[in-house]
Each structure stands twice: as structure tokens, then as C-alpha cells.
Amino acid sequence: MLVALFYFSKAYIGDKTIDGEGISSALLITSTPEFERILSAQREGVWVEGVLLVSPGHMNGSGHWEMERLEELRESIDDRDGFQHYLYVLEGGHSYIEGAYSDLSRLRTDRVVFSIEEHLRR
């Protein structure tokens, strides 16, 4: 099964500058634990600038891969069956669920893995 990917950029400053400007690079991350390690590695001079969710067609309903701005990633539990799901909240307010189909109204947020307010430098 195809799963969502995370595409984001990091900015490097300090000794990696060109004419005083930071250098940015893009990363494509394939797992949530790896994504969390990148987020936790932020420090002075290295930070995440933006995150896009790269979702397969079966997840986004379009039939093809799409890139959309990720606003929040929640680890959620379905209250009815107890299964864990990742809930991707995207720009514009729509969302996708990774895992077996679940009704959004039955999901309880167990943990916020990522939010633009908490993890992105502005």
C-alpha cells in the first residue's frame, strides 16, 4: 500500500551562508518517526521552514499523487475499535486519515505530532 510522504525544507545559517543569506535544502521523509526526529533536531541555525504532505491518490481521492501544505499531524485513536490512525490536517481545513477507514467523529486525538504553530519558525 502506498502511504503519505513528508516533504519539507530546512534552513541552514551560520557557517553555511552565501552573502549572509541562509541556504535551504529539501528533504523527502518516508516515515512519521523519522519526521519526528527531524523536528526534534531543530536548534539555533537549523529549522524547518515548511512542510508539505505528499499523498497518494487513494488517500486524497484524486487518483494521483498531490502535494499540500500540512498544518497539523495528529496521532488519533478510534474510540469504537481502539485502532491508531494518523490524521493529516491540511491548509484549507480538509483532512485525510491514514490507516483503516475511520469516521472522523469517532477519532480522539492522543497526541499532536506536528503543528505549524509549534514547529515552524516564522
Side-chain angles (χ1 to χ4, degrees), residues 18-104:
I18 298 173
D19 299 327
E21 297 293 321
I23 298 173
S24 293
S25 65
L27 298 169
L28 186 61
I29 303 300
T30 59
S31 74
T32 301
E34 187 176 1
F35 178 72
E36 288 185 272
R37 281 193 295 277
I38 298 295
L39 293 175
S40 67
Q42 294 185 90
R43 62 187 183 284
E44 185 62 37
V46 180
W47 69 88
V48 175
E49 293 180 317
V51 179
L52 297 174
L53 180 73
V54 183
S55 61
H58 71 84
M59 179 182 282
N60 62 45
S62 72
H64 60 274
W65 289 86
E66 290 189 351
M67 292 179 77
E68 299 170 271
R69 184 181 166 143
L70 182 66
E71 292 192 349
E72 194 169 81
L73 171 58
R74 302 176 192 158
E75 193 175 81
S76 300
I77 305 296
D78 186 319
D79 282 330
R80 191 171 80 180
D81 59 22
F83 288 119
Q84 174 192 339
H85 303 272
Y86 286 112
L87 177 67
Y88 304 95
V89 180
L90 305 166
E91 187 173 54
H94 63 284
S95 57
Y96 305 139
I97 301 171
E98 184 175 282
Y101 175 77
S102 183
D103 182 350
L104 282 174

